[in-house]
């Protein structure tokens, strides 16, 4: 735990210097909170410049982080790509631990920091490298595709990594009739419905997305007349109710194309806050499930991470080397798709 840091001093000039940001934040978080965040945002942005650091933030980060201090924002695929192409020597990853590990694996010569070591993930902790070895023994010859939400040790045991944005392409790229797909059983069932490849699934679940229910989805449609969009980590029953199922980035693209008057995003709550900036004409019915792991990242611990260069993410070389092969396989598929 980072000891409580004294808040940087308020300066009246912050009002003018951060006028545009304050306006953006005021529509997302209670407006009396904005002046509490500005001294931290200012101190972090100054320190970031001094250190020559790049701050990367996942779409589930709080609006004051996402809009206030991040240089790069995106889903887990976007952050992995950004890390692999990053020029800066210091990357501060505002997200959960597996994302910081992926950044370190793809940028082995850079220093990668995560502001809190408490930022885990229920999917990543649902499976170990030994579990993967056991699955391989039970299904000889079947390649392993692991969701990005896994530890580096699990990725090292895998043939390829995928995210929810590219899971079907990665599974089909293996050229096998049967693929071991782990660890998210709900994403696995969603992928299985879109391919003829037989999938062997694991029992992992996202502790945030599994909480959404069919009655909540129906309520949003009936009471608010909202179109429904859900992340594939939700249960199949919930996914059957919605207009569109997609990854974090695909949801944004769907909103761009469909331009619904009102939408309920059945996913982590900060995502709706952050997308509202991009789509001011759309009314968002906001869910209230926050990821407790993503919430471990705060402005004070981002500041402490930059000041004290903590917590450095390290992946032992033999594991990193094997995990990199699996991660690169995913990124190469993405590049091939992009040039089509
Ligand atoms: P994305 O791959 O869409 O970024 O999702 C990551 C995640 O943790 C979803 O819960
Ligand atoms: Fe993991 Fe779920 Fe949190 Fe995403 S939302 S980081 S899958 S626990």
């Amino acid at each position: 735990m980072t000891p409580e840091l004294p808040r940087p001093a308020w300066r009246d000039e912050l009002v003018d210097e951060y006028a545009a940001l304050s306006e953006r934040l005021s529509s997302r978080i209670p407006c009396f909170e904005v002046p509490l965040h500005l001294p931290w945002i200012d101190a972090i942005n100054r320190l970031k410049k001094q250190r020559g650091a790049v701050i990367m933030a996942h779409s589930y980060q709080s609006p004051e982080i996402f809009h206030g201090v991040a240089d790069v924002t995106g889903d887990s695929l976007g952050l992995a790509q950004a890390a692999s192409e990053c020029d800066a020597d210091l990357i501060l990853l505002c997200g959960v631990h597996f994302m910081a590990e992926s950044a370190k694996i793809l940028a082995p010569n850079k220093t990668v920091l995560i502001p809190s070591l408490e930022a885990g993930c229920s999917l990543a902790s649902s499976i170990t490298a030994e579990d993967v070895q056991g699955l391989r023994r039970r299904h000889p010859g079947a390649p392993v595709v692991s969701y990005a939400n896994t530890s580096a040790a699990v990725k090292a045991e895998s043939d390829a990594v995928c995210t929810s944005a590219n899971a079907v392409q990665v599974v089909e790229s293996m050229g096998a009739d049967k693929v071991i797909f782990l660890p998210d059983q709900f994403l696995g069932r969603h992928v299985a419905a879109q391919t003829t490849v037989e999938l062997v699934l694991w029992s992992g679940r996202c502790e945030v997305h599994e909480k959404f229910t069919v009655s909540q989805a129906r309520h949003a449609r009936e009471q608010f007349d909202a179109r429904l969009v859900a992340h594939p980590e939700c249960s199949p029953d919930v996914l059957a109710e919605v207009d569109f199922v997609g990854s974090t980035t695909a949801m944004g693209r769907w909103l761009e194309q469909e331009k619904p008057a009102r939408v309920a995003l059945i996913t982590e709550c900060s995502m709706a806050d952050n997308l509202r900036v991009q789509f001011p004409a759309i009314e968002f019915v906001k869910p209230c499930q926050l990821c407790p792991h993503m919430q471990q990242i705060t402005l004070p611990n981002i500041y402490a991470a930059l000041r004290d260069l903590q917590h450095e993410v390290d992946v032992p070389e033999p594991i990193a080397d094997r995990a990199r092969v699996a991660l690169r396989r995913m990124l190469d598929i993405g590049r091939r798709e992009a040039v089509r």
Side-chain angles (χ1 to χ4, degrees), residues 90-276:
L90 181 61
I91 298 174
L92 181 77
L93 202 301
C94 297
V96 293
H97 197 259
F98 75 80
M99 295 176 183
E101 275 189 336
S102 293
K104 178 66 187 176
I105 293 165
L106 290 167
N109 301 323
K110 320 260 177 206
T111 302
V112 176
L113 304 176
I114 185 162
S116 167
L117 292 172
E118 314 287 316
C121 168
S122 66
L123 281 170
S125 58
S126 73
I127 189 159
T128 64
E130 291 71 33
D131 292 327
V132 185
Q133 289 160 359
L135 282 165
R136 279 204 194 268
R137 279 193 297 276
R138 288 199 291 285
H139 302 277
V144 175
V145 173
S146 288
Y147 193 27
N149 300 35
T150 46
S151 66
V154 164
K155 290 185 178 80
E157 295 294 330
S158 308
D159 295 286
V161 173
C162 73
T163 70
S164 55
N166 56 23
V168 176
Q169 287 121 287
V170 175
V171 162
E172 294 190 338
S173 78
M174 305 311 291
D177 296 335
K178 179 159 110 174
V179 166
I180 299 168
F181 184 90
L182 47 90
D184 185 353
Q185 56 174 298
F186 291 158
L187 174 64
R189 281 158 72 173
H190 179 65
V191 173
Q194 297 170 72
T195 179
T196 53
V197 178
E198 181 195 345
L199 297 189
V200 176
L201 302 182
W202 188 248
S203 55
R205 290 179 183 197
C206 162
E207 68 183 81
V208 178
H209 290 88
E210 72 171 352
K211 290 201 184 92
F212 291 108
T213 64
V214 168
S215 56
Q216 284 171 328
R218 288 187 183 155
H219 180 78
R221 191 189 294 284
E222 285 156 18
Q223 297 297 311
F224 298 100
D225 194 24
R227 308 281 306 277
L228 304 182
V229 173
H231 194 281
E233 289 169 12
C234 295
S235 77
D237 293 350
V238 168
L239 298 186
E241 294 288 325
V242 307
D243 299 294
F244 179 72
V245 179
S247 67
T248 302
T249 307
M251 285 181 192
R253 275 202 304 268
W254 186 87
L255 292 176
E256 184 88 58
Q257 278 161 17
E258 297 288 317
K259 298 188 173 48
R262 196 174 291 146
V263 70
L265 288 191
I266 306 181
T267 187
E268 211 267 358
C269 172
S270 302
M271 174 78 190
D273 283 326
N274 293 326
L275 274 178
R276 260 154 66 177

Side-chain angles (χ1 to χ4, degrees), residues 268-309:
E268 211 267 358
C269 172
S270 302
M271 174 78 190
D273 283 326
N274 293 326
L275 274 178
R276 260 154 66 177
V277 182
Q278 227 178 307
F279 300 99
I282 299 177
E283 197 182 324
F284 285 83
V285 178
K286 210 172 78 111
C288 55
Q289 306 285 8
L290 282 163
C291 171
H293 307 287
M294 292 281 180
Q295 292 294 302
Q296 294 295 324
I297 311 296
T298 62
L299 290 173
N301 65 25
I302 292 172
Y303 180 80
L306 281 174
R307 187 192 62 183
D308 303 334
L309 297 179

Side-chain angles (χ1 to χ4, degrees), residues 32-54:
F32 63 83
E33 280 184 18
V34 176
L36 300 178
H37 292 314
L38 288 187
W40 284 117
I41 290 172
D42 184 54
I44 290 167
N45 285 332
R46 285 165 190 271
L47 194 49
K48 177 174 75 175
K49 228 182 242 165
Q50 274 173 29
R51 293 274 192 212
V54 164

